[in-house]
């Protein structure tokens, strides 16, 4: 474990900069709506913030933010460098794009995160 700590640098990011987070997964819960998995690059998300999906400029109020443990664990704030989830009452899974940049509506990021490409949906099928 010590070798992992020594060889892998800690995440970097500015917790006071405008929020930038990358969506890396999304899942639909029939009771809560779409649950967005994000890595926060800069800034911070809190429950109650109005988030903005920069791909379609849709605004949603974050009902809950949290970390992935054995189960989802709500926290007060997701800071730069953290990986977690946002539940914001997003009605349709199709409203979220993987590799999209997420920010705050009040103080949005000026540009998208560099080097990210939208993921294309892929289906797999097998015949027996």
């Amino acid at each position: 474990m010590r070798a992992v700590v020594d060889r892998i640098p800690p995440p970097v990011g500015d917790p006071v900069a405008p929020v930038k987070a990358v969506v890396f997964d999304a899942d639909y819960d029939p009771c809560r709506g779409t649950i967005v998995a994000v890595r926060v690059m800069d800034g911070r998300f809190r429950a109650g913030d109005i988030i903005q999906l920069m791909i379609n400029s849709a605004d949603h109020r974050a009902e809950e933010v949290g970390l992935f443990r054995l189960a989802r664990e709500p926290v007060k704030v997701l800071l730069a460098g953290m990986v977690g989830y946002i539940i914001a009452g997003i009605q349709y899974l199709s409203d979220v794009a993987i590799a999209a940049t997420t920010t705050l509506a009040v103080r949005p990021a000026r540009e998208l995160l560099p080097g990210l490409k939208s993921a294309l949906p892929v289906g797999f099928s097998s015949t027996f």
Side-chain angles (χ1 to χ4, degrees), residues 12-22 39-45 78-82 102-104 109 111 113-114:
V12 295
D14 184 358
V16 296
V19 177
K20 286 185 191 173
V22 61
R39 177 169 187 262
V40 183
M41 308 303 267
D42 288 318
R44 62 182 68 194
F45 284 112
L78 281 178
L79 296 170
M82 296 176 85
T102 305
T103 188
L104 291 179
E111 68 276 340
L113 287 167

Side-chain angles (χ1 to χ4, degrees), residues 19-33:
V19 177
K20 286 185 191 173
V22 61
V23 175
F24 67 87
D25 197 9
D27 188 28
Y28 184 77
D29 182 298
C31 297
R32 307 288 310 262

